[in-house]
Amino acid sequence: MGLLELGVDEFTVVCRPTALHSNFVRDNWPHVAQNIIQKLSDRGDLETVLGPIRTELKCLKGYTHGYTFGEHSFYSCVAYHMDRDDMGVALRFSAQALDYYSDKSGLKVYEFLGKIQDTAYTARFSRIDFTADYMNCGIDPTKIYQKLMDGQLAIFREKTRKTASGKTETSYLKIPFSYRGFLKASEVPTIYLGSQKSNALLRIYDKRREQIERKGPKLDKALACEDWTRFEAVFKGDYAHQLTDQLLSVKSEDEYLTLIANSFLQKFDFREVENGVVQNEAEFSEMLYDALKQGDFALHAPTSRNFDLIRSIQYLLNGSGLYPTLFKIREIWGYEGVSEFVNRLIMSLDTYEPNRDCLSWIAKHGDDYKRNFSEFSLFLNSALPFSDFVPENTA
């Protein structure tokens, strides 16, 4: 049975002092910025949820001073520009950072936005990404791209007008947009719609394939479904500002999901086209309309897991020469030789001195693994199905 999940992938919120053009703000901007960061941390419980504040070397683009909270594998940053008070203080949560924060705090995005409001600054989104995940729905990005190419699919806006007789007539205005697809073999797993300069962009892609190829934080979820196509809408500028006001007025999860669904349909309402005549909504748009009518949609589950370690394991299996070495030992000395070799490896681990990169990896990833997998076997069962725990045949 198909499932439609709605949610927020990532966001950037900008906080500007309420007395933006005062002499005090201009003359004391670094101090004012630090004060805003502290208020953001206190109101959002950022240090409590994420960890102690520390300098972030990979600062947000355009800003000069950046900070993050705790040691994590994901990216989050709060930043300001030393000489530009008009740029305010920017807080960026990547997708994994937002998942982690939502998991630990129990807050949805609209609740977080309301929580960080303060009289010392105005806080509004400069960017927010909404997601619509279609799982086991049979929606194929390649077929969508082909229909766009053939003119059988387009984005429309509904228009109504009163006739002279007082009747209401409905028509559909086709919205021009650019699109491009990225070919892999004979498939198009990713489509981009809209201009980079636009306040609304859409990416349609095979989320299941992406997670499996990258060993992403939703790998276990991807392996559990047959297909998973994500529609990811990036809203920026004025439209992101409007969404800020709307999210601040949201009082319940149902209102939150309704706002996300409506935002997709307002900007990206797809309809089928046959011989130049507009037909019904495309299947994925129709699912959004049905969800709105019936109130039957799910909230994007925030839990993310860290599968970075699986890359190292797969390298050992297929890229390091481990299996050819074990095979040679077994052929000469049997499994007793293999056991002796493995036992020596285990014993030598006590004298191994990890380098800086290894220690840094543990600091960033260790807690994530402990939080999500209490035992190593649970990690393997989630990340590495038995069918994958087989060495590739090498010449």
Side-chain angles (χ1 to χ4, degrees):
M1 182 178 177
L3 175 67
L4 170 61
E5 274 188 353
L6 303 178
V8 174
D9 187 60
E10 63 177 76
F11 67 74
T12 301
V13 63
V14 176
C15 302
R16 291 185 170 87
T18 49
L20 181 59
H21 299 295
S22 71
N23 289 332
F24 176 81
V25 169
R26 281 195 299 268
D27 296 340
N28 300 276
W29 170 236
H31 172 76
V32 173
Q34 292 285 350
N35 183 54
I36 291 176
I37 290 172
Q38 187 60 57
K39 285 181 176 291
L40 267 175
S41 176
D42 292 343
R43 286 193 166 276
D45 295 323
L46 299 182
E47 291 192 72
T48 301
V49 175
L50 300 175
I53 191 169
R54 61 183 181 84
T55 300
E56 172 56 61
L57 298 178
K58 187 181 177 184
C59 194
L60 288 175
K61 185 177 180 180
Y63 292 84
T64 60
H65 290 65
Y67 304 91
T68 191
F69 298 89
E71 286 272 3
H72 301 284
S73 57
F74 52 73
Y75 181 75
S76 65
C77 184
V78 59
Y80 68 94
H81 191 291
M82 185 75 173
D83 303 315
R84 294 285 303 275
D85 59 294
D86 59 307
M87 292 176 64
V89 171
L91 173 64
R92 163 103 190 281
F93 269 14
S94 67
Q96 280 186 263
L98 180 56
D99 276 356
Y100 183 92
Y101 179 87
S102 297
D103 243 1
K104 297 281 281 186
S105 69
L107 296 176
K108 311 293 190 301
V109 170
Y110 72 91
E111 295 170 318
F112 172 77
L113 180 64
K115 189 176 175 67
I116 64 171
Q117 297 301 308
D118 193 275
T119 56
Y121 56 78
T122 59
R124 62 183 184 180
F125 293 114
S126 63
R127 169 178 173 165
I128 185 167
D129 296 9
F130 286 167
T131 58
D133 288 327
Y134 298 86
M135 287 169 287
N136 297 329
C137 295
I139 294 173
D140 184 358
T142 301
K143 292 180 180 178
I144 294 173
Y145 183 76
Q146 190 60 55
K147 284 189 173 184
L148 290 170
M149 290 278 289
D150 295 341
Q152 298 175 358
L153 187 68
I155 297 174
F156 290 88
R157 300 269 166 80
E158 187 175 284
K159 293 183 66 177
T160 58
R161 71 179 187 89
K162 290 284 187 181
T163 64
S165 61
K167 293 184 179 180
T168 299
E169 285 188 347
T170 300
S171 61
Y172 297 95
L173 175 66
K174 185 178 179 180
I175 305 300
F177 61 91
S178 61
Y179 65 89
R180 61 193 188 280
F182 290 84
L183 188 66
K184 281 191 176 183
S186 60
E187 299 180 325
V188 183
T190 304
I191 310 167
Y192 289 93
L193 298 99
S195 165
Q196 290 294 328
K197 297 180 180 179
S198 171
N199 284 340
L201 308 171
L202 182 65
R203 179 186 177 205
I204 304 171
Y205 63 103
D206 188 335
K207 184 70 175 178
R208 183 177 187 273
R209 178 174 182 166
E210 178 220 46
Q211 290 295 293
I212 292 174
E213 289 180 349
R214 296 184 180 182
K215 303 298 179 288
K218 305 285 186 182
L219 177 60
D220 51 345
K221 188 173 181 178
L223 293 171
C225 62
E226 294 182 6
D227 60 77
W228 176 5
T229 297
R230 168 167 287 191
F231 284 56
E232 187 170 305
V234 179
F235 298 120
K236 302 183 291 186
D238 291 340
Y239 197 72
H241 299 166
Q242 295 173 28
L243 288 172
T244 303
D245 295 334
Q246 294 175 42
L247 283 164
L248 283 171
S249 66
V250 166
K251 304 299 182 187
S252 68
E253 187 173 300
D254 284 345
E255 291 181 13
Y256 181 48
L257 296 173
T258 296
L259 173 59
I260 295 173
N262 275 325
S263 297
F264 271 105
L265 292 171
Q266 286 170 10
K267 291 294 184 180
F268 305 106
D269 187 2
F270 287 88
R271 287 180 172 265
E272 303 280 355
V273 179
E274 185 175 340
N275 297 322
V277 180
V278 183
Q279 304 295 317
N280 295 328
E281 293 96 355
E283 179 185 4
F284 38 87
S285 290
E286 186 177 17
M287 287 181 67
L288 284 169
Y289 277 113
D290 288 345
L292 285 171
K293 292 175 186 176
Q294 302 167 13
D296 183 22
F297 32 43
L299 180 64
H300 165 66
T303 301
S304 287
R305 291 181 171 181
N306 194 326
F307 292 107
D308 186 79
L309 182 60
I310 205 65
R311 298 189 188 98
S312 297
I313 293 174
Q314 289 191 325
Y315 173 75
L316 284 174
L317 293 178
N318 298 309
S320 67
L322 174 64
Y323 272 104
T325 301
L326 292 176
F327 179 83
K328 293 170 185 175
I329 294 172
R330 188 195 68 179
E331 289 301 294
I332 299 172
W333 294 288
Y335 280 106
E336 288 185 4
V338 173
S339 296
E340 175 68 18
F341 176 71
V342 172
N343 288 333
R344 290 288 184 95
L345 289 177
I346 294 171
M347 291 172 61
S348 65
L349 184 61
D350 290 335
T351 58
Y352 167 70
E353 294 185 5
N355 60 24
R356 185 178 299 177
D357 287 344
C358 184
L359 293 173
S360 176
W361 189 95
I362 289 293
K364 290 181 178 180
H365 298 267
D367 288 343
D368 287 345
Y369 283 104
K370 288 181 180 179
R371 180 172 62 93
N372 288 308
F373 307 102
S374 58
E375 298 177 6
F376 182 61
S377 60
L378 296 176
F379 167 72
L380 282 183
N381 290 337
S382 296
L384 199 66
F386 182 77
S387 57
D388 287 342
F389 206 90
V390 176
E392 296 175 356
N393 289 327
T394 56

